[in-house]
């Protein structure tokens, strides 16, 4: 899974490291252990490795857009709690989505695909 390839656009030698990309997708789950970090850890991995690892830039952008979108949806759910408890239902759905899709997309990334996260706003393009 690890190889060195030449990217012709910028003449930088980048390595193909699917394992690191999979770890980047799964790093979003750090929130389950610590209560925070689902944006911070993938952001650090993306920023430090996007110039070194082939396809890290596109994967990292998808992950960061997804995490920022989850934050926006959580903010929207707070006032919805007062409206028949819809915010609580929203938090439950967001919790499931924020666990399931990083795992699914990590599996896709390990197979060489560039996964997309649903319901993501395009903050970084």
């Amino acid at each position: 899974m690890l190889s060195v390839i030449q990217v012709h656009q910028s003449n930088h030698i980048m390595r193909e490291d699917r394992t690191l990309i999979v770890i980047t997708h799964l790093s979003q789950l750090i929130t389950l252990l610590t209560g925070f970090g689902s944006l911070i850890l993938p952001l650090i991995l993306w920023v430090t490795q996007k110039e070194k690892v082939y396809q890290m830039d596109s994967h990292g952008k998808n992950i960061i857009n997804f995490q920022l979108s989850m934050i926006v949806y959580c903010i929207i759910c707070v006032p919805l709690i007062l409206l028949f408890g819809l915010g609580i239902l929203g938090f439950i759905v967001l919790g499931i989505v924020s666990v399931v899709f990083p795992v699914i997309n990590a599996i896709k990334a390990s197979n060489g695909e560039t996964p997309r996260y649903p319901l993501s706003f395009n903050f970084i393009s």
Side-chain angles (χ1 to χ4, degrees):
M1 279 211 270
L2 182 65
S3 63
V4 177
I5 57 173
Q6 180 78 29
V7 177
H8 299 289
Q9 295 172 343
S10 59
N11 292 326
H12 290 293
I13 296 177
M14 301 178 88
R15 70 181 193 275
E16 182 176 4
D17 192 351
R18 287 188 193 167
T19 305
L20 184 60
I21 291 174
V22 168
I23 289 170
T24 306
H25 283 281
L26 293 177
S27 69
Q28 299 172 79
L29 302 177
I30 192 72
T31 300
L32 298 174
L33 299 174
T34 64
F36 67 95
S38 62
L39 175 65
I40 297 168
L41 188 55
L43 180 65
I44 291 169
L45 290 171
W46 172 58
V47 168
T48 59
Q49 299 298 313
K50 68 181 178 179
E51 300 291 327
K52 300 173 186 171
V53 176
Y54 179 66
Q55 291 187 334
M56 177 60 90
D57 193 40
S58 63
H59 285 270
K61 287 177 183 177
N62 288 332
I63 293 168
I64 300 306
N65 285 331
F66 177 68
Q67 287 301 315
L68 290 173
S69 299
M70 290 294 107
I71 291 170
V72 169
Y73 290 131
C74 284
I75 292 170
I76 291 170
C77 285
V78 170
L80 288 178
I81 291 174
L82 299 174
L83 185 65
F84 306 115
L86 290 177
I88 295 171
L89 180 64
F91 280 128
I92 292 169
V93 169
L94 289 176
I96 293 169
V97 166
S98 66
V99 171
V100 169
F101 282 103
V103 173
I104 290 171
N105 287 334
I107 294 168
K108 287 182 179 181
S110 71
N111 293 328
E113 300 174 39
T114 302
R116 301 278 183 242
Y117 286 90
L119 307 172
S120 289
F121 299 117
N122 201 11
F123 293 105
I124 302 171
S125 56

